Amino acid sequence: MLTRTALRRLGDRRRQADRRYSARLLGSADLAAVSAVAFGLLLTLVEGQWRPLWHLDTAAAHRLHEYALRHREWTAGLRLLSDRVWAPVTLRTAVAVLTAWLLYRRAWRLAAWAVVTTVTGGLVGLLAKSVVERARPALHDPVAHAPGYSFPSGHATTATTCFAVFMLVLAPLVPRSCRTPCWCVAAFCVLGVGLTRIALGVHWFSDVLGGWILGLAVVALTVWAFEAWRVETGWDRTPVSDGLEPELSEATPEPGSGTR
């Protein structure tokens, strides 16, 4: 039988865990809010053709375009990365395969989160493009072409949401010592996607920045919703660095509400 001291310590640990979880939950909400505000501000600057941003966009586009014209092999490598390796269809297909595996593992809610995050990022990006209707860079002797409007970059949005899905889903299966390098690789890929789109002359810098911010906002919102579901159903409180569902490494990732 537990003594009063032991019960008091247990209660203190639970309250501390509750406070840490509340802080993480509020942190996700704050990140989503900040990202949404940042995206709205950037959208306003783009729509208003703010001159400092316009100068930054044009300077980056022309300098990278000149480099691309002088280094055709480098440009061919960028096109391979942009059109094949990091293409939205490639990343979304990878998410679809991951979702199928999650369904096989009966991780229903985690699979739903992966789909909702990826689809929401794509749909919101398309909506923003249709509202802004920003033209893509018109460069002399272009090295690449892309259809549709420019802001925000669909490649950047998709890369942000998809690589976040990969890491937040698969983190429990990665040894702790390897998680930081994996996050670094994911961040490098997201940044690389943006660089290739600017260097190929199919996006302005602000398009890519807008895509990153939009993707981050979508991920933060869906993570907040998933974390809220976990606490409502009585699951263990764990840091996001361990993945959205650390139980994925177990035989039954989602045995049922209120069973943990």
Side-chain angles (χ1 to χ4, degrees):
M1 184 174 180
L2 294 176
T3 64
R4 290 184 178 180
T5 302
L7 288 173
R8 189 181 303 111
R9 290 177 179 174
L10 180 60
D12 290 341
R13 286 198 296 270
R14 287 178 176 174
R15 283 190 291 271
Q16 291 174 1
D18 288 340
R19 285 194 292 269
R20 288 194 297 269
Y21 184 82
S22 298
R24 290 196 299 271
L25 203 59
L26 289 175
S28 296
D30 290 343
L31 179 59
V34 170
S35 300
V37 170
F39 181 79
L41 176 60
L42 181 61
L43 176 59
T44 301
L45 296 178
V46 168
E47 285 280 72
Q49 298 182 351
W50 190 48
R51 292 194 66 81
L53 182 61
W54 181 82
H55 285 303
L56 176 62
D57 279 340
T58 54
H62 287 293
R63 288 179 182 177
L64 287 173
H65 181 61
E66 291 174 359
Y67 188 88
L69 290 175
R70 293 195 304 268
H71 302 82
R72 293 291 184 174
E73 293 182 357
W74 182 74
T75 303
L78 293 184
R79 293 192 62 175
L80 175 63
L81 289 173
S82 182
D83 298 341
R84 296 290 185 268
V85 180
W86 289 331
V89 65
T90 303
L91 297 179
R92 289 168 185 160
T93 300
V95 171
V97 172
L98 177 62
T99 302
W101 178 74
L102 290 173
L103 293 175
Y104 172 76
R105 291 293 316 281
R106 298 182 180 275
W108 315 112
R109 295 174 181 84
L110 193 58
W113 173 82
V115 171
V116 168
T117 300
T118 306
V119 172
T120 300
L123 292 179
V124 175
L126 286 175
L127 178 62
K129 283 178 180 287
S130 63
V131 171
V132 179
E133 296 185 348
R134 189 186 198 187
R136 294 181 183 271
L139 302 171
H140 175 68
D141 192 14
V143 298
H145 300 276
Y149 295 115
S150 188
F151 182 90
S153 167
H155 277 67
T157 304
T158 301
T160 304
T161 54
C162 288
F163 279 105
V165 166
F166 299 149
M167 288 305 305
L168 292 173
V169 169
L170 298 175
L173 307 180
V174 178
R176 289 185 179 275
S177 60
C178 298
R179 289 178 187 173
T180 297
C182 287
W183 275 107
C184 290
V185 170
F188 172 81
C189 290
V190 172
L191 294 174
V193 169
L195 175 63
T196 60
R197 302 306 285 171
I198 302 171
L200 291 173
V202 293
H203 275 297
W204 305 105
F205 168 76
S206 54
D207 299 336
V208 171
L209 181 60
W212 286 335
I213 295 174
L214 179 60
L216 184 62
V218 170
V219 171
L221 280 171
T222 57
V223 166
W224 176 83
F226 193 88
E227 289 270 280
W229 164 76
R230 281 184 66 89
V231 73
E232 288 176 359
T233 52
W235 282 54
D236 295 337
R237 298 166 176 82
T238 57
V240 176
S241 59
D242 291 339
L244 284 186
E245 196 166 283
E247 299 82 6
L248 190 64
S249 59
E250 301 176 4
T252 53
E254 295 179 9
S257 300
T259 61
R260 299 195 67 83

